[in-house]
Amino acid sequence: MDDGPLVEDFGRRIGRAMGWPPIAGRLAGVLMLSPDPMTLSELQVRLGASKGSTSEMTRLLIANGTVERVKVPGVRQAGYVWRDDAWSGCLQHQLTQTEQLLELARTALEQGVDMPEAQQARLRDMYTYYDFMVRQLRCLLDEYRQLARG
């Protein structure tokens, strides 16, 4: 099967939706469809990208919870694989980011007590929004993990 068109579609769609460069979306597609771990060199060749760009994009996908670095027996280079729990990892990453923004909102609210009411209202709205999002993302993550266990 020629996965080239599908990988290109990943590059456009996931890249755009996640705010990633298209190469990160293509890398996600390559690793998701690969039956085996791939080394940085193999990914570089497959993507037609520089070593630096490929390395940077693997770090981005690792940080986003979808890819992991693994030891491949008999191979000196590390391998990269699509995580079996990639979608949980992705949702966990979103939750972690949102928790960080909730902490910012909490701090800003405390520091803004002497601001005019209009600014305090904006800070309260920010806090309310991120508090709501954290609670919802926690529920979604729990629900998805239960669903994924099947």
Side-chain angles (χ1 to χ4, degrees), residues 78-121:
Y80 296 89
V81 295
W82 188 256
R83 285 177 43 175
D84 290 338
D85 66 344
W87 303 115
S88 290
C90 189
L91 193 49
Q92 178 63 59
H93 174 71
Q94 291 174 5
L95 173 57
T96 300
Q97 287 180 310
T98 308
E99 287 171 334
Q100 291 170 358
L101 292 169
L102 175 59
E103 184 55 35
L104 169 64
R106 180 179 294 117
T107 302
L109 196 55
E110 291 169 1
Q111 293 175 356
V113 294
D114 295 329
M115 291 183 171
E117 178 54 33
Q119 285 75 17
Q120 286 186 41

Short mmCIF file of all heavy atoms in Angstrom, two decimals, residues 78-121:
data_model
loop_
_atom_site.label_atom_id
_atom_site.label_comp_id
_atom_site.label_asym_id
_atom_site.label_seq_id
_atom_site.Cartn_x
_atom_site.Cartn_y
_atom_site.Cartn_z
N ALA A 78 18.51 5.40 18.50
CA ALA A 78 17.21 5.26 19.13
C ALA A 78 16.15 5.14 18.05
O ALA A 78 16.32 5.64 16.93
CB ALA A 78 16.91 6.46 20.01
N GLY A 79 15.07 4.50 18.39
CA GLY A 79 13.94 4.40 17.48
C GLY A 79 12.80 5.25 18.00
O GLY A 79 12.76 5.62 19.19
N TYR A 80 11.89 5.56 17.12
CA TYR A 80 10.70 6.35 17.48
C TYR A 80 9.48 5.58 17.04
O TYR A 80 9.45 5.00 15.95
CB TYR A 80 10.75 7.73 16.83
CG TYR A 80 11.92 8.53 17.33
CD1 TYR A 80 13.16 8.47 16.71
CD2 TYR A 80 11.80 9.31 18.48
CE1 TYR A 80 14.26 9.17 17.20
CE2 TYR A 80 12.89 10.02 18.97
CZ TYR A 80 14.11 9.95 18.33
OH TYR A 80 15.18 10.63 18.82
N VAL A 81 8.48 5.54 17.92
CA VAL A 81 7.24 4.82 17.62
C VAL A 81 6.05 5.68 18.02
O VAL A 81 6.14 6.55 18.89
CB VAL A 81 7.16 3.47 18.37
CG1 VAL A 81 8.22 2.51 17.92
CG2 VAL A 81 7.19 3.66 19.88
N TRP A 82 4.94 5.39 17.38
CA TRP A 82 3.66 5.97 17.75
C TRP A 82 3.23 5.27 19.01
O TRP A 82 3.19 4.03 19.08
CB TRP A 82 2.65 5.74 16.62
CG TRP A 82 1.37 6.45 16.81
CD1 TRP A 82 0.19 5.90 17.21
CD2 TRP A 82 1.10 7.84 16.60
NE1 TRP A 82 -0.79 6.86 17.28
CE2 TRP A 82 -0.25 8.06 16.90
CE3 TRP A 82 1.90 8.93 16.20
CZ2 TRP A 82 -0.83 9.32 16.81
CZ3 TRP A 82 1.32 10.17 16.11
CH2 TRP A 82 -0.03 10.36 16.41
N ARG A 83 2.94 6.01 20.06
CA ARG A 83 2.55 5.40 21.33
C ARG A 83 1.24 4.62 21.20
O ARG A 83 0.32 5.07 20.52
CB ARG A 83 2.37 6.48 22.40
CG ARG A 83 3.66 7.05 22.91
CD ARG A 83 3.47 8.15 23.91
NE ARG A 83 2.44 7.88 24.91
CZ ARG A 83 2.19 8.68 25.94
NH1 ARG A 83 2.91 9.78 26.12
NH2 ARG A 83 1.25 8.39 26.79
N ASP A 84 1.18 3.49 21.87
CA ASP A 84 -0.07 2.72 21.88
C ASP A 84 -1.21 3.52 22.51
O ASP A 84 -2.37 3.35 22.15
CB ASP A 84 0.11 1.40 22.64
CG ASP A 84 0.99 0.42 21.89
OD1 ASP A 84 1.12 0.54 20.66
OD2 ASP A 84 1.56 -0.48 22.56
N ASP A 85 -0.85 4.39 23.45
CA ASP A 85 -1.85 5.23 24.11
C ASP A 85 -1.72 6.70 23.65
O ASP A 85 -1.91 7.62 24.43
CB ASP A 85 -1.71 5.13 25.63
CG ASP A 85 -0.39 5.70 26.14
OD1 ASP A 85 0.55 5.90 25.33
OD2 ASP A 85 -0.29 5.97 27.34
N ALA A 86 -1.42 6.88 22.37
CA ALA A 86 -1.14 8.22 21.85
C ALA A 86 -2.27 9.21 22.09
O ALA A 86 -2.03 10.37 22.43
CB ALA A 86 -0.82 8.15 20.36
N TRP A 87 -3.50 8.76 21.94
CA TRP A 87 -4.62 9.71 22.08
C TRP A 87 -4.82 10.09 23.54
O TRP A 87 -5.14 11.24 23.84
CB TRP A 87 -5.88 9.15 21.43
CG TRP A 87 -5.59 8.84 19.98
CD1 TRP A 87 -5.58 7.61 19.39
CD2 TRP A 87 -5.15 9.77 18.98
NE1 TRP A 87 -5.18 7.72 18.07
CE2 TRP A 87 -4.92 9.03 17.80
CE3 TRP A 87 -4.93 11.14 18.95
CZ2 TRP A 87 -4.49 9.63 16.61
CZ3 TRP A 87 -4.51 11.73 17.77
CH2 TRP A 87 -4.29 10.98 16.62
N SER A 88 -4.58 9.16 24.45
CA SER A 88 -4.57 9.53 25.87
C SER A 88 -3.43 10.49 26.16
O SER A 88 -3.58 11.45 26.90
CB SER A 88 -4.41 8.28 26.76
OG SER A 88 -5.55 7.49 26.73
N GLY A 89 -2.27 10.22 25.56
CA GLY A 89 -1.12 11.10 25.73
C GLY A 89 -1.39 12.50 25.22
O GLY A 89 -1.00 13.50 25.84
N CYS A 90 -2.07 12.58 24.08
CA CYS A 90 -2.41 13.88 23.50
C CYS A 90 -3.36 14.64 24.41
O CYS A 90 -3.18 15.83 24.67
CB CYS A 90 -3.03 13.65 22.13
SG CYS A 90 -3.28 15.13 21.15
N LEU A 91 -4.36 13.95 24.92
CA LEU A 91 -5.32 14.58 25.82
C LEU A 91 -4.66 14.97 27.14
O LEU A 91 -4.93 16.04 27.68
CB LEU A 91 -6.51 13.64 26.06
CG LEU A 91 -7.75 14.21 26.70
CD1 LEU A 91 -8.24 15.50 26.04
CD2 LEU A 91 -8.86 13.17 26.69
N GLN A 92 -3.74 14.14 27.63
CA GLN A 92 -3.01 14.47 28.85
C GLN A 92 -2.18 15.73 28.64
O GLN A 92 -2.09 16.59 29.51
CB GLN A 92 -2.10 13.31 29.28
CG GLN A 92 -1.28 13.60 30.52
CD GLN A 92 -2.13 13.84 31.75
OE1 GLN A 92 -2.90 12.98 32.14
NE2 GLN A 92 -2.00 15.01 32.36
N HIS A 93 -1.57 15.85 27.46
CA HIS A 93 -0.78 17.05 27.14
C HIS A 93 -1.67 18.29 27.16
O HIS A 93 -1.30 19.32 27.73
CB HIS A 93 -0.12 16.89 25.77
CG HIS A 93 0.59 18.10 25.30
ND1 HIS A 93 1.77 18.54 25.86
CD2 HIS A 93 0.29 18.99 24.32
CE1 HIS A 93 2.16 19.64 25.24
NE2 HIS A 93 1.28 19.93 24.30
N GLN A 94 -2.86 18.19 26.57
CA GLN A 94 -3.80 19.32 26.58
C GLN A 94 -4.20 19.68 28.00
O GLN A 94 -4.28 20.86 28.35
CB GLN A 94 -5.03 19.00 25.74
CG GLN A 94 -4.74 18.91 24.27
CD GLN A 94 -5.95 18.44 23.47
OE1 GLN A 94 -7.04 18.27 24.00
NE2 GLN A 94 -5.75 18.23 22.19
N LEU A 95 -4.45 18.67 28.83
CA LEU A 95 -4.81 18.90 30.22
C LEU A 95 -3.67 19.60 30.96
O LEU A 95 -3.89 20.58 31.68
CB LEU A 95 -5.16 17.59 30.92
CG LEU A 95 -5.40 17.65 32.42
CD1 LEU A 95 -6.50 18.64 32.80
CD2 LEU A 95 -5.69 16.26 32.97
N THR A 96 -2.45 19.13 30.77
CA THR A 96 -1.30 19.73 31.45
C THR A 96 -1.14 21.20 31.05
O THR A 96 -0.91 22.06 31.92
CB THR A 96 -0.02 18.94 31.13
OG1 THR A 96 -0.20 17.59 31.59
CG2 THR A 96 1.21 19.55 31.78
N GLN A 97 -1.26 21.50 29.77
CA GLN A 97 -1.17 22.89 29.32
C GLN A 97 -2.25 23.74 29.95
O GLN A 97 -2.01 24.87 30.40
CB GLN A 97 -1.31 22.97 27.80
CG GLN A 97 -0.12 22.49 27.03
CD GLN A 97 -0.34 22.62 25.54
OE1 GLN A 97 -1.36 22.18 25.01
NE2 GLN A 97 0.61 23.23 24.86
N THR A 98 -3.46 23.21 29.99
CA THR A 98 -4.59 23.96 30.54
C THR A 98 -4.44 24.15 32.04
O THR A 98 -4.80 25.21 32.57
CB THR A 98 -5.92 23.26 30.17
OG1 THR A 98 -5.94 23.04 28.75
CG2 THR A 98 -7.12 24.12 30.55
N GLU A 99 -3.89 23.17 32.74
CA GLU A 99 -3.62 23.33 34.17
C GLU A 99 -2.61 24.45 34.40
O GLU A 99 -2.74 25.21 35.37
CB GLU A 99 -3.10 22.02 34.77
CG GLU A 99 -4.17 20.96 34.91
CD GLU A 99 -3.62 19.59 35.30
OE1 GLU A 99 -2.44 19.30 35.01
OE2 GLU A 99 -4.39 18.81 35.90
N GLN A 100 -1.62 24.55 33.53
CA GLN A 100 -0.64 25.64 33.65
C GLN A 100 -1.30 27.00 33.45
O GLN A 100 -0.99 27.96 34.15
CB GLN A 100 0.50 25.43 32.65
CG GLN A 100 1.37 24.25 32.98
CD GLN A 100 2.34 23.90 31.87
OE1 GLN A 100 2.37 24.51 30.81
NE2 GLN A 100 3.16 22.89 32.11
N LEU A 101 -2.23 27.07 32.52
CA LEU A 101 -2.95 28.33 32.29
C LEU A 101 -3.91 28.65 33.43
O LEU A 101 -4.12 29.82 33.77
CB LEU A 101 -3.67 28.28 30.95
CG LEU A 101 -2.71 28.26 29.75
CD1 LEU A 101 -3.47 27.93 28.46
CD2 LEU A 101 -1.97 29.58 29.63
N LEU A 102 -4.47 27.62 34.06
CA LEU A 102 -5.31 27.83 35.23
C LEU A 102 -4.47 28.42 36.36
O LEU A 102 -4.92 29.34 37.07
CB LEU A 102 -5.97 26.52 35.68
CG LEU A 102 -6.78 26.58 36.98
CD1 LEU A 102 -7.92 27.60 36.90
CD2 LEU A 102 -7.30 25.19 37.34
N GLU A 103 -3.27 27.92 36.54
CA GLU A 103 -2.38 28.45 37.57
C GLU A 103 -2.05 29.92 37.28
O GLU A 103 -2.01 30.75 38.19
CB GLU A 103 -1.12 27.61 37.70
CG GLU A 103 -0.20 28.05 38.81
CD GLU A 103 -0.86 28.13 40.18
OE1 GLU A 103 -1.75 27.32 40.49
OE2 GLU A 103 -0.49 29.04 40.96
N LEU A 104 -1.79 30.24 36.02
CA LEU A 104 -1.57 31.63 35.63
C LEU A 104 -2.79 32.48 35.97
O LEU A 104 -2.66 33.56 36.55
CB LEU A 104 -1.26 31.74 34.13
CG LEU A 104 -1.29 33.16 33.55
CD1 LEU A 104 -0.20 34.02 34.17
CD2 LEU A 104 -1.17 33.10 32.03
N ALA A 105 -3.98 31.97 35.66
CA ALA A 105 -5.20 32.72 35.95
C ALA A 105 -5.37 32.93 37.45
O ALA A 105 -5.77 34.02 37.89
CB ALA A 105 -6.41 31.98 35.37
N ARG A 106 -5.07 31.90 38.24
CA ARG A 106 -5.18 32.01 39.70
C ARG A 106 -4.22 33.09 40.22
O ARG A 106 -4.61 33.95 41.01
CB ARG A 106 -4.86 30.66 40.34
CG ARG A 106 -4.94 30.66 41.87
CD ARG A 106 -4.65 29.29 42.48
NE ARG A 106 -5.70 28.34 42.11
CZ ARG A 106 -5.51 27.24 41.39
NH1 ARG A 106 -4.31 26.92 40.94
NH2 ARG A 106 -6.51 26.44 41.11
N THR A 107 -2.99 33.06 39.76
CA THR A 107 -1.98 34.05 40.17
C THR A 107 -2.38 35.46 39.72
O THR A 107 -2.27 36.41 40.49
CB THR A 107 -0.61 33.67 39.59
OG1 THR A 107 -0.27 32.36 40.04
CG2 THR A 107 0.47 34.64 40.02
N ALA A 108 -2.83 35.57 38.48
CA ALA A 108 -3.23 36.88 37.96
C ALA A 108 -4.40 37.46 38.75
O ALA A 108 -4.43 38.66 39.05
CB ALA A 108 -3.60 36.76 36.48
N LEU A 109 -5.34 36.60 39.12
CA LEU A 109 -6.49 37.04 39.91
C LEU A 109 -6.03 37.57 41.26
O LEU A 109 -6.50 38.63 41.72
CB LEU A 109 -7.45 35.86 40.08
CG LEU A 109 -8.87 36.13 40.53
CD1 LEU A 109 -9.56 37.14 39.62
CD2 LEU A 109 -9.66 34.82 40.56
N GLU A 110 -5.10 36.89 41.90
CA GLU A 110 -4.57 37.33 43.19
C GLU A 110 -3.81 38.64 43.05
O GLU A 110 -3.92 39.53 43.89
CB GLU A 110 -3.64 36.26 43.78
CG GLU A 110 -4.36 35.01 44.22
CD GLU A 110 -3.41 33.87 44.56
OE1 GLU A 110 -2.16 34.05 44.47
OE2 GLU A 110 -3.91 32.78 44.90
N GLN A 111 -3.03 38.76 41.98
CA GLN A 111 -2.23 39.96 41.79
C GLN A 111 -3.04 41.15 41.29
O GLN A 111 -2.60 42.29 41.43
CB GLN A 111 -1.08 39.68 40.80
CG GLN A 111 -0.06 38.72 41.35
CD GLN A 111 1.00 38.36 40.32
OE1 GLN A 111 0.95 38.77 39.17
NE2 GLN A 111 1.98 37.59 40.76
N GLY A 112 -4.21 40.89 40.77
CA GLY A 112 -5.02 41.96 40.20
C GLY A 112 -6.07 42.54 41.12
O GLY A 112 -6.96 43.27 40.66
N VAL A 113 -5.98 42.26 42.42
CA VAL A 113 -7.01 42.70 43.36
C VAL A 113 -7.16 44.22 43.42
O VAL A 113 -8.24 44.72 43.75
CB VAL A 113 -6.80 42.14 44.78
CG1 VAL A 113 -6.97 40.64 44.79
CG2 VAL A 113 -5.47 42.56 45.35
N ASP A 114 -6.12 44.97 43.09
CA ASP A 114 -6.19 46.42 43.15
C ASP A 114 -6.50 47.06 41.80
O ASP A 114 -6.52 48.29 41.68
CB ASP A 114 -4.87 47.00 43.69
CG ASP A 114 -4.63 46.60 45.14
OD1 ASP A 114 -5.64 46.43 45.88
OD2 ASP A 114 -3.46 46.43 45.53
N MET A 115 -6.75 46.24 40.80
CA MET A 115 -7.06 46.76 39.47
C MET A 115 -8.51 47.24 39.42
O MET A 115 -9.33 46.82 40.23
CB MET A 115 -6.84 45.68 38.40
CG MET A 115 -5.39 45.32 38.20
SD MET A 115 -5.25 44.12 36.86
CE MET A 115 -3.48 44.10 36.68
N PRO A 116 -8.82 48.08 38.44
CA PRO A 116 -10.22 48.49 38.26
C PRO A 116 -11.12 47.28 38.01
O PRO A 116 -10.66 46.23 37.55
CB PRO A 116 -10.17 49.40 37.02
CG PRO A 116 -8.74 49.87 36.96
CD PRO A 116 -7.92 48.74 37.52
N GLU A 117 -12.39 47.42 38.29
CA GLU A 117 -13.36 46.32 38.21
C GLU A 117 -13.39 45.65 36.84
O GLU A 117 -13.50 44.43 36.75
CB GLU A 117 -14.76 46.80 38.60
CG GLU A 117 -15.85 45.74 38.51
CD GLU A 117 -15.57 44.45 39.28
OE1 GLU A 117 -14.91 44.51 40.35
OE2 GLU A 117 -15.98 43.38 38.81
N ALA A 118 -13.27 46.42 35.78
CA ALA A 118 -13.33 45.83 34.44
C ALA A 118 -12.19 44.83 34.23
O ALA A 118 -12.41 43.74 33.67
CB ALA A 118 -13.28 46.92 33.37
N GLN A 119 -10.99 45.17 34.67
CA GLN A 119 -9.86 44.27 34.53
C GLN A 119 -9.99 43.06 35.46
O GLN A 119 -9.67 41.94 35.08
CB GLN A 119 -8.53 45.00 34.79
CG GLN A 119 -8.09 45.90 33.65
CD GLN A 119 -8.88 47.20 33.58
OE1 GLN A 119 -9.55 47.60 34.53
NE2 GLN A 119 -8.83 47.85 32.42
N GLN A 120 -10.49 43.30 36.68
CA GLN A 120 -10.72 42.18 37.59
C GLN A 120 -11.75 41.21 37.01
O GLN A 120 -11.60 39.99 37.15
CB GLN A 120 -11.20 42.70 38.95
CG GLN A 120 -10.10 43.35 39.78
CD GLN A 120 -10.59 43.72 41.16
OE1 GLN A 120 -11.31 42.94 41.79
NE2 GLN A 120 -10.18 44.88 41.64
N ALA A 121 -12.78 41.75 36.37
CA ALA A 121 -13.80 40.89 35.75
C ALA A 121 -13.18 40.02 34.66
O ALA A 121 -13.50 38.84 34.52
CB ALA A 121 -14.93 41.74 35.18
#
